[in-house]
Amino acid sequence: MGDRRRRRRLAAVATVTGLMCATTACGSGSDSAGAGDPNTLEVWTRSNPDSAASYDRVFAAFTKKTGIKVDYQPVVNFDQQLQSRASTKDLPDVMINDTALMGSYQSQGLLKPIDPASIAGGDQITAKSWSSTVGLDGRHYGIPYSRQAMTLMIRKDWLKKLGLQAPTTWQDMLTVAEAFAAKDPDGDGKADTYGMVVPGSAQNGYAAWWGASYLWQGGAKIIEPDGSGGYRPVMDSPAAVKTVTWMKDNLFCGAKNVVQPGALTAITANATNFQDGNAGMYLTGPYNITTFDATPGKNTYEVVPAPAGPAGSDVLADGENVYFGAKTGKTKQEQALAAFLVSPEGQRIAMTSVDGHQPVVRIPVNATLDAAEVRHDARWSVVQKAYEDSSEQFPNAPDFAPVKQDTADSLNAIFTYCGSDVGSGLKELNDTLAGDLKDQDLLK
């Protein structure tokens, strides 16, 4: 694993070297639409056509309100396209993308630092949300836009048929999962149902993304601040060993059909068993509420807090930030857009679905808004409470991408080989994570 990490990291360093772009060096290039128009902002989001339609409504309202035009570009292969643009020193004016990417972008010099006081309405954003935009140097490099936290989505019709209640502990969850797998909850007389959906592939770090909530609930962390400006890996802790052992023994190497077939090669795009109607639980993000309301149907499932482990019920939180590309000339227009995006008006538009399109703000960052009230849907109060009271984000000041990927590689391997020794596997992972941190000069 160490050799693989070094090869990947060297490739990443080479890429970053080619992309480094100081703020003063990155002016508007001639190729981007609107580059020569000071009243047009080029804005990128990582979006498919469904969510892009919601962004279209948001940006149209902004232009109507301010007269500032938006050259909007939804980009599926966001990072690849961003690297291409960075190599020509022609970054988008504004980008909306995951919070966890901030450290990577900032380390490459792709972002402008931001003073929260320069964003009108920034004082209506909670300190918890603002904290996820702070870089290693203590400066802010993003504006919070949307937040979310995982909750458990569960077939309430299956629970009723089997005389069960929604689980509140890990043991309850196992009991329900085993019943869903073995007791024919769909009543078709066939052994074709599964306890829960797991996107457990190592690809793109999915095993770490999905597994993080269990780590938090078991009292484990992946890396943690060392108190002197650096970080240390802690995946060899007793809590981590105990938690990963529990996951391996009970979810992947225990009762038959607790998780869906192929879980360890599944990503969210092909882990469709919940909406296909043959799996009964899914610990996932609230973006799936719109999808699952269509199928298996709003009346068939409910949204409940994640079952608690030995250390509590904390779940993984993430979301999106607004980033300003490291280029000059349109700061006032960028600030105006950010102010609209975090305003009650902008957030309400982005939280509502029109023609079935996916909303692009899940939990509002504007503290004057309540997600359940805006959507007229009490299920969103479960999600908002999970974010506010029982969630933890990946550390985003470092470049967390290699940390997440190496963690996913290790967890996936441990879960795949049921005879593997968890302690030695996590010790090897911890050594690899130490190398990741050392590569970033964060291991003191």
Side-chain angles (χ1 to χ4, degrees):
M1 182 180 292
D3 288 342
R4 182 174 67 249
R5 177 194 63 78
R6 281 189 289 274
R7 288 195 298 270
R8 184 170 65 236
R9 191 64 186 166
L10 286 172
V13 169
T15 300
V16 169
T17 301
L19 297 179
M20 285 300 279
C21 173
T23 300
T24 56
C26 290
S28 297
S30 59
D31 294 334
S32 58
D37 180 0
N39 207 45
T40 297
L41 291 172
E42 183 184 8
V43 181
W44 285 20
T45 68
R46 184 173 61 85
S47 301
N48 58 30
D50 184 39
S51 57
S54 295
Y55 277 116
D56 280 332
R57 292 188 295 112
V58 174
F59 297 137
F62 167 71
T63 298
K64 183 177 180 180
K65 188 179 186 70
T66 66
I68 300 171
K69 300 174 184 177
V70 174
D71 171 24
Y72 172 45
Q73 300 184 35
V75 182
V76 176
N77 297 318
F78 192 102
D79 287 328
Q80 180 181 354
Q81 295 299 318
L82 182 62
Q83 291 174 2
S84 177
R85 286 286 296 272
S87 67
T88 64
K89 297 182 172 60
D90 180 28
L91 292 167
D93 299 295
V94 178
M95 299 167 281
I96 302 176
N97 208 344
D98 296 347
T99 58
L101 292 169
M102 192 199 76
S104 174
Y105 292 168
Q106 191 266 326
S107 69
Q108 297 177 47
L110 303 182
L111 305 178
K112 282 182 187 175
I114 293 166
D115 178 4
S118 70
I119 307 301
D123 57 348
Q124 295 178 335
I125 299 174
T126 65
K128 178 174 182 174
S129 292
W130 271 120
S131 69
S132 63
T133 67
V134 178
L136 292 170
D137 59 3
R139 305 173 79 182
H140 292 269
Y141 286 91
I143 302 107
Y145 178 56
S146 172
R147 292 294 180 266
Q148 61 192 40
M150 289 191 171
T151 55
L152 186 69
M153 303 191 187
I154 185 168
R155 289 292 296 263
K156 63 181 180 181
D157 55 341
W158 290 12
L159 289 172
K160 183 177 180 180
K161 184 176 188 299
L162 300 180
L164 299 170
Q165 300 293 319
T168 59
T169 67
W170 281 2
Q171 185 54 54
D172 292 344
M173 181 181 66
L174 281 179
T175 299
V176 171
E178 290 169 0
F180 282 174
K183 296 185 177 181
D184 192 26
D186 61 357
D188 68 355
K190 301 176 182 178
D192 58 357
T193 54
Y194 311 101
M196 65 179 71
V197 179
V198 172
S201 172
Q203 180 182 337
N204 296 330
Y206 270 106
W209 172 82
W210 166 82
S213 295
Y214 290 97
L215 295 176
W216 308 162
Q217 292 159 14
K221 295 183 183 298
I222 299 174
I223 62 174
E224 66 181 11
D226 64 6
S228 60
Y231 286 80
R232 57 177 165 246
V234 285
M235 274 300 286
D236 62 349
S237 69
V241 173
K242 185 175 181 179
T243 299
V244 174
T245 299
W246 183 91
M247 294 169 72
K248 176 173 79 78
D249 291 348
N250 291 284
L251 302 185
F252 302 100
C253 302
K256 184 180 179 182
N257 293 343
V258 167
V259 301
Q260 87 278 15
L264 292 173
T265 58
I267 60 175
T268 54
N270 58 31
T272 61
N273 300 79
F274 194 87
Q275 58 262 51
D276 292 344
N278 58 30
M281 287 184 283
Y282 195 177
L283 183 67
T284 187
Y287 43 80
N288 272 321
I289 290 177
T290 300
T291 301
F292 295 162
D293 279 359
T295 177
K298 186 175 182 179
N299 295 327
T300 68
Y301 78 102
E302 60 184 327
V303 180
V304 300
S313 56
D314 277 7
V315 290
L316 179 66
D318 55 14
E320 290 79 41
N321 291 333
V322 179
Y323 300 112
F324 295 165
K327 57 194 288 187
T328 60
K330 299 182 182 179
T331 298
K332 293 298 183 184
Q333 292 89 340
E334 292 165 0
Q335 291 171 347
L337 176 57
F340 180 79
L341 292 173
V342 303
S343 70
E345 178 184 0
Q347 295 258 292
R348 283 180 181 276
I349 296 170
M351 289 170 65
T352 54
S353 175
V354 174
D355 296 329
H357 292 133
Q358 183 73 255
V360 292
V361 166
R362 281 89 192 193
I363 297 303
V365 297
N366 190 299
T368 68
L369 298 178
D370 178 86
E373 179 182 316
V374 172
R375 292 187 170 89
H376 308 292
D377 187 341
R379 296 175 299 175
W380 282 90
S381 65
V382 178
V383 183
Q384 187 155 351
K385 185 174 176 60
Y387 172 72
E388 293 174 350
D389 300 338
S390 304
S391 71
E392 181 176 337
Q393 297 185 177
F394 285 138
N396 67 323
D399 179 358
F400 197 74
V403 174
K404 183 176 74 169
Q405 186 59 58
D406 284 328
T407 302
D409 288 341
S410 179
L411 291 178
N412 181 270
I414 289 170
F415 299 150
T416 297
Y417 303 105
C418 291
S420 61
D421 181 76
V422 173
S424 61
L426 292 183
K427 176 63 170 65
E428 182 181 354
L429 169 61
N430 218 59
D431 292 343
T432 301
L433 297 180
D436 290 332
L437 295 172
K438 185 177 181 180
D439 287 341
Q440 299 182 50
D441 295 323
L442 293 176
L443 189 69
K444 304 299 182 182

